[in-house]
């Protein structure tokens, strides 16, 4: 049994960021002199996180372009294309190279694939007739620390690729990144896994062993690894998020640990982007709180802040000088953050209260308890009739299916019929995908209450305290995890005396999870 | 001796590059050319293998691939071991005199020498190659180097390495075995797939890749197989290889090679999936005529009856939409009808879902008789729209136009004796929501709030919309004297509401 004991200290993961940055700079220096950088739009937040533009400018990047299919003539004689190894991106690069060729403009180009180049990319370069005209590099930017205790690969494609299509192309990167992690921070004492991809990643890690030195073996951390397939638990990410950060993500979309607020929050024309992982104390305190607790906290913070400001009244000149020199700046910074959080809360309230959140939470609750299924079904039907946003409807539908162990044929037929009428018959494609991914199913006649936890996991789920003696645990989600899950793990860690580090292929929430499976 | 030392240095310093059979592609092509004309003596061990050409290769592969745990190298199934030893080159050798140099890799002997001294904890590395199987030279050298590089016991192994290195350098270059090739791909080393020309080799290659779990390699091999095998042959081989099929489907999707994809799925008996993929193509068709014709064909695709019906409906709907769109465009352009003048159409109705179309028709074509194609009643009948759905949509459309008399009519039903009563399938709380959002007159909101079934909900809505009389009635009904007193403070003094409250509080009929 776990005794609460001092939690293990957190390794300093910022080293990973430094490594990624150094590696990218090294790659850019392969072509000395000025160059333009064309960036896969999906990689922008990542690049912001790791280098920012100023660092790249220092390394002779002249201009940045979003790689969106429009060919841009002119510019520097050297070009870098930074892309994910996806066919569509490679095609865009190839088109750009061919456009240069067409006007016989000679330029030195390099494609940087991150986290690695896939063989199929070469095939496209070859098909497009540019193979050999361009050299390819790999930027192994795999695990990115987005918070102190959260490492993300920022590859949302993993979910669809593996869990819908059964494509294993990302497993290599997951396994390798974990091996690299071991070489820096110490070998995992034990590795536990649940799910198909977890097993494969573990085996791939074994294939890698030997490639990496166990440099810190002995003095390294005593930690263990839990690999968890996303399809082992679909219930959690499909639930409504109620933590502050979860709602921030739902409403504003957190990208690589940063969030951008528009004028509705800032109250000015300008958008403001803040890095949530920067260690702002107020944010650290509210991010995992239930949303309803956040207002109280923010208002008390605001009062404290006011009091600190008010101190300046009745100060003599010397104290005032001191105040301005030391405290004021900090207070101003706090004030700025605080007003952004409050503004964000308002927008969240407005958006969430517009729909009937209360009814929705009631329905979710009924689903978990397995009571009043009829009412849940009619609520979903009502949402469909009203043409509520499709991901929201699919979320409830899938939640119904996974908690009930499938839908009765009649219910499914009826809901499907309504859904196709409201959102278009082409949603047949989406429904077929949900079925394939196991999010939607027919109820098996004799299936008893295999609720909440899918059958395949029963008996395999383990209590951490029973299996691991190390108090530092890396929990790696294959296929994405939500901010609510991170909050839950932090909570569990605090109460049980563990320190959890969360690893994931991407940070996700129910709309992103479901949109990945939408096909029309 | 000095040569040997030099070689050792070479091998020790470059464990990765050392086994490329030369450092450039040229040598690979050279290898290809020399392949056919090489004759190499069998090692003792490999001669053994010749006796075994009765083994059903593909059968074993399938069995092995399905066995859980065999990837971990713990497979002790003798048949499996045999086939591992059984390199493709040799089988060909047994039928003709031609032998590929790959038989060189079945030097089983050296593998066993170090094994005897292998510490147990180095088992890990074996996950790649099954124990006792034929291992390629490079792999073994690789493995032994890794295993012993940190241990003292180097001398004998170095000698072993040197021996293997000599073998490799003796000019008898050749192409790598399947396992080794996959390993090279995994390690990002130069490799060539072209030398694998016989079907067995190709499939072995694929199976090795599947064992590695790296989708990238599986895909790369499939790309090669796609160009070097006739479809029917490849499909037949894929039937027993589900992981490979997944990757192939994924590849074909990404290449937008729908034709091959459909053929594959049909060959695999996954006809409904094939039908969906074919059906999906309609989404990209922006020409209504073209899409209509395409959908018509889709109806007869091998869908289940339910889905066929859905697609039939989709076809009919698009057909209707085409006619409505055509007419309305003309009418709107003529500028005759006020509805179109007051509310210009924002977008074409083509390709919209049924419910959106119903909304459109409730908006622009509400009064039309059932016989008219564009009338809401016609849509409801043709597409079997539920009463609830119809009410939702019609309510929303008529409220948006502030046609309150229509809203009222939608909720009015005839009673038993010629009288009328109000009924709302969707619940009056929803009705209130819709009409109040569209700024309905107070009298209407007030009436509908009063009709809400659930007392709590009614009270909430009445408070929200300031329907005082309903609040007071409901509080009386709920016998909540305290809240009623509270409420009295909120209404204006001497207003009719206050009078109502005072009366209610005095009313002896209510048992507070």
């Amino acid at each position: 049994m776990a005794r609460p004991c001092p939690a293990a200290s957190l390794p300093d993961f910022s080293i990973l960021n430094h490594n990624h940055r150094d590696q990218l700079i090294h790659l850019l220096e392969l072509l000395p002199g000025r160059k333009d950088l064309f960036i896969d739009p999906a990689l922008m937040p990542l690049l912001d996180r790791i280098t920012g533009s100023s660092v790249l400018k220092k390394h002779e990047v002249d201009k940045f372009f979003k790689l969106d299919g429009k060919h841009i003539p002119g510019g520097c004689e050297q070009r870098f294309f930074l892309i994910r190894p996806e066919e569509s991106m490679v095609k865009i690069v190839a088109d750009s190279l061919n456009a240069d060729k067409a006007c016989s403009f000679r330029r030195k180009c390099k494609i940087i694939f991150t986290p690695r180049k896939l063989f199929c990319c070469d095939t496209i370069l070859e098909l497009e007739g540019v193979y050999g005209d361009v050299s390819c590099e790999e930027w192994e930017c795999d695990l990115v620390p987005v918070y102190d205790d959260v490492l993300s690969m920022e590859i949302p494609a993993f979910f669809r690729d593996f869990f819908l299509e059964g494509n294993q192309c990302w497993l290599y990167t997951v396994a390798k990144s974990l091996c690299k992690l071991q070489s820096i921070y110490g070998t995992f004492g034990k590795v536990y896994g649940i799910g198909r991809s977890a097993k494969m990643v573990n085996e791939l890690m074994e294939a890698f062993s030997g490639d990496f030195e166990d440099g810190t073996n002995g003095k390294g951390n005593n930690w263990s690894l839990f690999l968890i397939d996303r399809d082992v638990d679909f219930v959690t990410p499909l639930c409504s998020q109620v933590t502050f950060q979860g709602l921030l993500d739902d409403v504003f979309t957190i990208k690589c640990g940063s969030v951008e607020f528009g004028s509705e929050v800032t109250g000015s024309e300008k958008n403001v982007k803040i890095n949530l992982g920067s260690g702002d104390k107020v944010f650290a305190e509210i991010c995992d709180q239930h949303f309803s607790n956040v207002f109280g906290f923010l208002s008390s913070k605001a009062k404290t802040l006011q009091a600190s400001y008010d101190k300046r009244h009745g100060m003599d000149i010397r104290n005032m000088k001191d105040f301005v020199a030391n405290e004021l700046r900090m207070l101003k910074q706090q004030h700025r953050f605080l007003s952004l959080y409050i503004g964000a809360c308002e927008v969240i309230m407005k958006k969430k209260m517009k729909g009937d959140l209360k009814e929705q939470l009631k329905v979710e609750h009924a689903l978990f308890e397995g009571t009043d299924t009829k009412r849940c079904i009619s609520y979903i039907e009502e949402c469909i009739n009203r043409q509520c946003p499709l991901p929201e409807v699919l979320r409830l539908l899938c939640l119904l299916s996974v908690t009930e162990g499938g839908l009765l044929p009649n219910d499914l037929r009826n809901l499907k019929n309504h859904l196709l009428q409201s959102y278009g018959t082409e949603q047949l494609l989406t429904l077929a995908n949900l079925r394939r991914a196991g999010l939607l199913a027919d109820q098996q006649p004799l299936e008893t209450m295999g609720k909440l936890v899918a059958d395949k996991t029963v008996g395999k789920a383990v209590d951490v305290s029973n299996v691991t003696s190390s108090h530092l645990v890396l929990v790696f989600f294959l296929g994405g995890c939500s901010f609510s899950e991170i909050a839950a793990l932090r909570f569990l860690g605090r109460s049980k005396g563990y320190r959890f580090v969360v690893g994931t292929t991407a940070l996700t929430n129910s709309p992103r999870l479901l949109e990945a499976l939408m096909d029309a | 001796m000095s040569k040997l030392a030099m070689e050792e240095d070479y091998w020790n310093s470059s464990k990765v590059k050392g086994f490329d059979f030369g450092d450039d592609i040229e040598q690979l092509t050279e290898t290809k050319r020399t392949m056919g004309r090489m004759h190499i003596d069998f090692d003792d061990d490999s001669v053994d293998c010749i006796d075994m050409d009765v083994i059903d290769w593909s059968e074993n592969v399938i069995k092995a691939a399905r066995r859980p745990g065999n990837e971990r190298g713990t497979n002790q199934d003798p048949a499996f071991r045999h086939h591992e030893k059984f390199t493709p080159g040799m089988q060909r050798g047994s039928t003709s005199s031609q032998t590929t140099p790959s038989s060189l890799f079945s030097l089983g002997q050296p593998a066993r020498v170090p094994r005897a001294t292998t510490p147990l904890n180095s088992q890990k590395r074996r996950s790649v190659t099954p124990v006792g199987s034929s291992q390629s030279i490079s792999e073994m050298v690789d493995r032994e180097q890794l295993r012993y590089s940190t241990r003292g016991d180097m001398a004998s192994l170095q000698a072993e390495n040197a021996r293997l290195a000599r073998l490799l350098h003796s000019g008898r270059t050749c192409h790598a075995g399947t396992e080794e090739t996959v390993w090279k791909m995994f390690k990002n080393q130069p490799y060539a797939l072209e030398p694998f020309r016989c079907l067995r080799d190709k499939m072995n290659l694929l199976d090795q890749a599947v064992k590695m779990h790296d989708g990238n390699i599986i895909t790369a091999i499939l790309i090669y197989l796609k160009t070097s095998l006739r479809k029917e042959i490849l499909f037949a081989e894929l039937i027993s290889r589900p992981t490979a099929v997944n990757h192939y489907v994924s590849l074909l999707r990404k290449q937008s090679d729908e034709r091959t994809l459909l053929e594959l799925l049909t060959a695999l008996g996954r006809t409904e999936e094939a039908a969906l993929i074919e059906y999906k193509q309609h989404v990209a068709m922006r020409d209504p005529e073209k899409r209509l014709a395409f959908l018509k064909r889709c109806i007869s695709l091998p869908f289940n009856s339910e889905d066929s019906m859905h697609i039939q409906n989709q076809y009919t709907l698009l057909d209707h939409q085409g006619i409505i769109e055509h007419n309305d465009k003309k009418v709107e352009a003529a500028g005759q009808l006020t509805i179109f003048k007051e509310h210009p159409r924002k977008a074409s109705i083509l390709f919209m879902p049924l419910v959106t179309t119903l909304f459109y028709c409730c908006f622009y074509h509400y009064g039309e008789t059932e016989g008219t194609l564009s009338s809401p009643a016609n849509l409801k009948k043709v597409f079997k729209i539920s009463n609830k759905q119809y009410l939702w949509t019609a309510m929303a459309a008529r409220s948006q136009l502030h046609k309150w008399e229509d809203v009222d009519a939608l909720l009015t039903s005839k009673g038993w004796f010629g009288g009328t009563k109000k009924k709302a399938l969707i619940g009056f709380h929803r009705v209130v929501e819709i009409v109040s959002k569209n700024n309905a007159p107070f009298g209407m909101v007030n009436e509908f709030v009063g009709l809400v079934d659930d007392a709590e909900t009614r009270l909430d809505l009445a408070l929200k919309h300031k329907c005082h009389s309903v609040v007071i009635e409901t509080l009386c009904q709920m016998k909540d004297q305290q809240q009623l007193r509270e409420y009295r403070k909120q209404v204006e003094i001497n207003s009719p509401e206050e009078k109502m409250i005072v009366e209610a509080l005095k009313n002896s009929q209510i048992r507070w």
Side-chain angles (χ1 to χ4, degrees):
Chain A
M1 283 311 293
R3 292 168 271 108
C5 74
S9 63
L10 209 56
D12 175 15
F13 291 115
S14 63
I15 300 168
L16 297 175
N17 255 353
H18 293 143
N19 290 352
H20 294 327
R21 183 186 313 155
D22 293 349
Q23 207 197 340
L24 180 62
I25 289 168
H26 169 76
L27 290 173
L28 290 174
E29 282 174 351
L30 289 177
L31 292 182
R34 282 171 55 229
K35 52 237 167 194
D36 289 328
L37 182 59
F38 287 71
I39 308 160
D40 182 341
L43 289 171
M44 300 273 200
L46 185 73
L47 207 58
D48 258 340
R49 180 81 189 186
I50 288 172
T51 64
S53 57
S54 55
V55 173
L56 296 177
K57 288 246 177 216
K58 263 186 221 149
H59 293 273
E60 299 184 275
V61 174
D62 197 52
K63 282 199 181 74
F64 300 92
F65 294 97
K66 194 184 201 170
L67 195 56
D68 54 7
K70 284 194 285 280
H71 175 64
I72 294 168
C76 294
E77 304 218 330
Q78 303 190 104
R79 267 184 188 180
F80 275 92
F81 297 93
L82 177 62
I83 57 172
R84 286 270 181 234
E86 272 160 18
E87 281 83 348
S88 54
M89 276 295 141
V90 182
K91 177 78 171 57
I92 291 176
V93 173
D95 289 346
S96 168
L97 296 173
N98 274 328
D100 272 343
K101 251 191 196 176
C103 50
S104 36
F105 191 87
R106 291 179 70 85
R107 208 197 288 270
K108 264 195 201 162
C109 292
K110 264 185 190 294
I111 307 178
I112 302 176
F113 291 94
T114 186
R116 71 159 166 163
K117 185 176 79 171
L118 297 177
F119 290 118
C120 54
C121 300
D122 275 341
T123 311
I124 292 170
L125 292 176
E126 194 178 338
L127 279 173
E128 298 293 328
V130 292
Y131 190 92
D133 297 350
V134 62
S135 56
C136 298
E137 305 292 337
E138 288 182 344
W139 179 33
E140 230 175 52
C141 183
D142 39 28
L143 281 173
V144 181
V146 283
Y147 301 96
D148 288 352
D149 58 348
V150 180
L151 309 173
S152 169
M153 288 180 38
E154 295 294 303
I155 299 181
F158 183 101
F159 179 68
R160 186 178 166 117
D161 280 340
F162 187 82
F163 292 104
L164 182 67
E165 305 201 352
N167 188 330
Q168 304 166 4
C169 64
W170 301 112
L171 299 186
Y172 175 101
T173 303
V174 176
K176 194 170 182 188
S177 70
L178 288 168
C179 289
K180 272 162 67 185
L181 214 56
Q182 290 194 93
S183 74
I184 302 173
Y185 300 103
T187 312
F188 300 120
K190 283 220 162 101
V191 179
Y192 303 90
I194 179 163
R196 280 176 53 237
S197 74
K199 182 168 183 283
M200 291 190 228
V201 166
N202 186 39
E203 283 168 20
L204 273 165
M205 282 171 74
E206 283 174 19
F208 275 119
S209 62
D211 286 13
F212 296 95
E213 296 167 34
D214 308 343
T216 46
N217 215 353
K219 72 182 164 85
N221 298 289
N222 171 24
W223 61 340
S224 16
L225 169 66
F226 279 68
L227 292 161
I228 303 174
D229 273 28
R230 183 68 274 174
D231 69 348
V232 164
D233 169 28
F234 277 136
V235 175
T236 318
L238 289 178
C239 291
S240 280
Q241 302 206 72
V242 287
T243 64
F244 179 60
Q245 186 159 217
L247 284 163
L248 266 188
D249 191 26
D250 282 353
V251 174
F252 299 99
T253 310
I254 298 174
K255 287 179 183 158
C256 211
S258 294
V259 68
E260 192 167 346
F261 294 126
S263 54
E264 47 182 10
V265 172
T266 58
S268 66
E269 294 286 289
K270 247 172 62 189
N271 282 11
V272 175
K273 199 159 152 190
I274 57 172
N275 176 0
L276 299 171
S278 65
D280 174 53
K281 280 204 191 84
V282 174
F283 184 75
E285 281 190 69
I286 56 174
C287 65
D288 295 336
Q289 294 262 357
H290 191 285
F291 191 61
S292 56
N293 295 339
V294 171
F295 300 113
F297 186 86
L298 288 181
S299 96
S300 77
K301 275 284 154 195
K303 278 180 196 139
T304 327
L305 197 64
Q306 185 67 53
S308 308
Y309 259 130
D310 288 346
K311 267 199 322 205
R312 69 188 193 281
H313 299 309
M315 273 183 185
D316 56 31
I317 297 283
R318 236 189 91 195
N319 283 341
M320 183 65 103
K321 216 169 145 189
D322 228 39
F323 177 81
V324 171
N326 301 318
E327 242 176 301
L328 191 63
R329 195 187 148 78
M330 193 192 70
L331 289 174
K332 272 193 172 157
Q333 173 82 348
Q334 277 185 19
H335 180 264
R336 196 171 141 263
F337 275 125
L338 208 54
S339 47
L340 285 175
Y341 301 146
I342 292 168
C345 277
E346 278 171 357
V347 175
I348 290 171
M349 283 283 279
K350 236 189 271 165
K351 290 236 165 110
K352 287 282 159 177
M353 294 308 151
K354 208 169 65 185
D356 35 9
L357 186 68
K358 223 163 109 188
E359 182 66 15
Q360 193 182 300
L361 290 175
K362 258 194 230 161
V363 166
E364 272 176 45
H365 202 79
L367 285 175
F368 303 146
E369 293 190 323
T371 55
D372 215 353
T373 311
K374 276 269 163 299
R375 192 179 133 207
C376 300
I377 291 174
S378 66
Y379 180 75
I380 296 173
E381 192 188 309
E382 189 183 289
C383 292
I384 295 173
N385 285 339
R386 299 164 67 189
Q387 293 186 306
C388 294
L390 184 56
E392 183 54 28
V393 166
L394 294 178
R395 180 179 79 85
L396 291 171
L397 186 63
C398 294
L399 206 50
L400 175 70
S401 176
V402 287
T403 53
E404 291 289 319
L407 273 77
L408 290 171
N410 240 338
D411 292 336
L412 186 55
R413 199 177 316 122
N414 180 42
L415 288 174
K416 180 174 169 181
N417 189 35
H418 276 101
L419 197 137
L420 299 181
Q421 289 190 343
S422 271
Y423 303 95
T425 313
E426 58 275 16
Q427 296 303 336
L428 274 175
L429 298 162
T430 302
L431 294 178
N433 285 348
L434 294 176
R435 262 179 191 279
R436 259 180 88 83
L439 280 158
L440 194 62
D442 290 312
Q443 202 168 76
Q444 297 307 312
L446 276 174
E447 190 149 35
T448 42
M449 318 286 274
K451 305 202 166 172
L452 273 185
V453 185
D455 280 350
K456 54 193 157 184
T457 70
V458 171
K460 281 193 200 158
V462 280
D463 181 356
V464 186
S465 55
N466 292 337
V467 293
T468 177
S469 58
S470 50
H471 286 270
L472 182 65
V473 180
L474 172 60
V475 182
F476 199 100
F477 291 90
L478 295 146
C481 81
S482 69
F483 283 104
S484 299
E485 286 171 304
I486 293 173
L489 278 170
R490 284 175 182 157
F491 175 79
L492 192 68
R494 274 196 303 277
S495 55
K496 294 251 182 184
Y498 287 93
R499 196 71 210 233
F500 289 106
V501 177
V502 176
T504 181
T505 50
L507 286 154
T508 193
N509 59 4
S510 68
R512 288 203 287 276
L513 206 70
L514 292 163
E515 273 157 17
L517 300 177
M518 279 164 58
D519 238 347
Chain B
M1 190 61 211
S2 69
K3 194 182 168 216
L4 188 72
M6 210 180 70
E7 277 176 357
E8 268 177 39
D9 277 345
Y10 176 64
W11 292 118
N12 284 329
S13 63
S14 62
K15 56 184 172 186
V16 175
K17 279 277 181 175
F19 305 98
D20 297 339
F21 305 104
D23 292 323
D24 51 28
I25 306 292
E26 265 169 53
Q27 205 159 352
L28 280 166
T29 40
E30 167 68 25
T31 308
K32 249 166 98 177
R33 255 182 281 128
T34 50
M35 254 175 67
R37 46 185 160 83
M38 275 193 285
H39 296 266
I40 292 156
D41 297 334
F42 289 122
D43 195 287
D44 287 348
D45 217 54
S46 43
V47 173
D48 283 347
C49 298
I50 295 182
D51 302 331
M52 289 168 219
D53 56 356
V54 268
I55 293 165
D56 180 348
W57 178 278
S58 60
E59 181 57 10
N60 278 330
V61 171
I62 296 158
K63 239 200 287 174
R66 284 196 185 139
R67 268 174 77 121
N70 80 68
E71 303 99 306
R72 312 187 65 101
T74 50
N75 196 324
Q76 293 302 318
D77 180 2
F80 182 67
R81 264 196 288 159
H82 279 154
H83 103 242
E84 283 292 336
K85 262 188 200 173
F86 198 85
T87 63
M90 268 166 309
Q91 215 201 23
R92 231 186 289 157
S94 66
T95 51
S96 75
S97 63
Q98 207 185 42
T99 310
T100 66
S102 57
S103 52
L104 197 87
F105 300 126
S106 53
L107 296 162
Q109 212 50 43
R112 285 180 204 134
V113 180
R115 189 144 52 88
T117 58
T118 302
L120 279 169
N121 60 0
S122 62
Q123 293 266 353
K124 261 185 171 177
R125 277 281 293 157
R126 294 203 189 148
S127 59
V128 185
T129 30
V131 179
S133 67
S134 73
Q135 284 134 357
S136 64
I137 297 169
S138 69
E139 229 186 87
M140 284 190 35
V141 176
D142 216 315
R143 171 185 304 183
E144 298 313 321
Q145 277 189 336
L146 285 165
R147 190 179 294 167
Y148 289 98
S149 55
T150 52
R151 294 191 174 84
D153 190 10
M154 287 291 282
S156 66
L157 287 154
Q158 276 174 356
E160 194 57 45
N161 277 354
R163 196 177 80 78
L164 296 168
R166 254 198 325 277
L167 268 172
L168 213 66
H169 260 224
S170 56
R172 296 186 292 184
T173 44
C174 56
H175 77 74
T178 53
E179 208 177 324
E180 190 189 354
T181 300
V182 169
W183 184 247
K184 278 166 179 274
M185 294 171 87
F186 184 69
K187 293 286 173 183
N188 246 332
Q189 296 169 22
Y191 67 94
L193 297 177
E194 291 74 17
F196 299 96
R197 302 187 71 169
C198 79
L199 180 62
R200 211 173 289 124
D201 281 2
K202 289 181 197 223
M203 288 308 131
N204 198 12
L205 206 53
L206 188 57
D207 293 333
Q208 294 292 348
V210 169
K211 265 195 220 171
M212 279 306 301
H213 304 314
D214 183 2
N216 187 29
I217 302 176
I218 301 173
T219 307
I221 289 166
L222 285 166
I223 291 172
Y224 168 61
L225 297 185
K226 190 185 177 197
T227 56
S228 68
L229 278 178
R230 195 154 59 82
K231 274 189 280 229
E232 291 76 5
I233 309 284
L234 177 58
F235 294 172
E237 290 292 335
L238 285 177
I239 286 175
S240 55
R241 295 172 171 85
T243 306
V245 169
N246 286 340
H247 286 84
Y248 200 43
V249 170
S250 187
L251 172 72
L252 294 172
R253 272 181 197 274
K254 284 177 180 164
Q255 291 182 342
S256 316
D257 184 352
E258 264 100 13
R259 236 178 74 192
T260 314
L261 186 53
L262 292 176
E263 284 168 340
L264 170 70
L265 292 172
T266 311
L268 294 172
R270 288 155 67 170
T271 49
E272 215 170 304
E273 227 179 305
L276 275 171
I277 284 166
E278 195 160 3
Y279 166 73
K280 189 184 175 179
Q281 298 175 13
H282 87 270
V283 180
M285 298 176 185
R286 301 313 298 173
D287 173 20
E289 291 303 320
K290 202 175 149 205
R291 195 194 273 209
L292 201 62
F294 185 83
L295 282 174
K296 191 167 189 177
R297 277 199 291 123
C298 285
I299 298 167
S300 52
L301 288 174
F303 284 109
N304 59 48
S305 59
E306 194 189 324
D307 288 354
S308 280
M309 183 205 66
H310 289 310
I311 295 167
Q312 167 80 60
N313 281 342
Q314 186 182 13
Y315 167 80
T316 315
L317 177 65
L318 182 56
D319 192 30
H320 282 25
Q321 285 173 340
I323 299 166
I324 298 171
E325 177 70 23
H326 181 75
N327 287 339
D328 288 3
K329 219 182 198 167
K330 265 200 301 199
V331 173
E332 187 175 26
Q336 300 286 309
L337 272 176
T338 42
I339 178 83
F340 287 107
K341 265 197 280 185
E342 281 169 20
H343 305 277
R345 302 184 321 144
K346 290 189 185 93
S348 146
I349 194 62
L350 289 171
F351 313 137
M352 292 295 154
L354 176 61
V355 170
T356 311
T357 312
L358 178 64
F359 183 91
Y360 175 94
C361 290
C362 286
F363 201 91
Y364 291 109
H365 301 277
Y366 195 65
E368 293 170 14
T369 51
E370 203 183 308
T372 324
L373 190 77
S374 50
S375 79
N378 180 56
L379 279 180
K380 183 173 185 293
K381 202 177 113 197
V382 171
F383 297 100
K384 299 192 183 71
I385 297 171
S386 73
N387 290 334
K388 255 191 197 176
Q389 177 70 74
Y390 183 82
L391 186 59
W392 271 110
T393 314
M395 283 278 304
R398 300 321 286 169
S399 298
Q400 202 168 315
L401 283 169
H402 292 216
K403 298 286 183 195
W404 305 118
E405 64 282 5
D406 292 339
V407 172
D408 208 64
L410 278 166
L411 300 168
T412 308
S413 60
K414 286 205 177 76
W416 281 98
F417 304 104
T420 59
K421 61 177 220 169
K422 288 280 189 312
K423 210 178 100 188
L425 267 180
I426 58 174
F428 275 101
H429 62 297
R430 291 304 188 195
V431 173
V432 171
E433 194 183 309
I434 296 171
V435 297
S436 65
K437 208 171 65 194
N438 289 295
N439 304 318
F442 177 76
M444 182 172 237
V445 177
N446 193 58
E447 183 193 355
F448 294 156
V449 169
L451 291 167
V452 172
D453 251 349
D454 179 59
E456 294 266 356
T457 318
R458 190 184 333 131
L459 183 63
D460 281 350
L461 286 171
L463 286 166
K464 189 176 161 194
H465 296 290
K466 301 199 166 52
C467 308
H468 300 299
S469 60
V470 180
V471 173
I472 296 160
E473 275 164 33
T474 309
L475 284 174
C476 290
Q477 191 196 334
M478 292 165 85
K479 302 192 169 56
D480 194 340
Q481 197 183 15
Q482 199 191 344
Q483 209 184 329
L484 192 58
R485 284 183 201 286
E486 281 296 310
Y487 193 64
R488 185 179 171 182
K489 293 175 195 160
Q490 288 172 37
V491 299
E492 268 176 63
I493 299 171
N494 289 329
S495 62
E497 291 83 44
E498 202 199 10
K499 277 180 200 146
M500 257 180 88
I501 295 173
V502 174
E503 264 168 49
L505 288 171
K506 277 195 292 198
N507 191 340
S508 56
Q509 303 263 299
I510 305 168
R511 269 183 266 153
W512 295 106

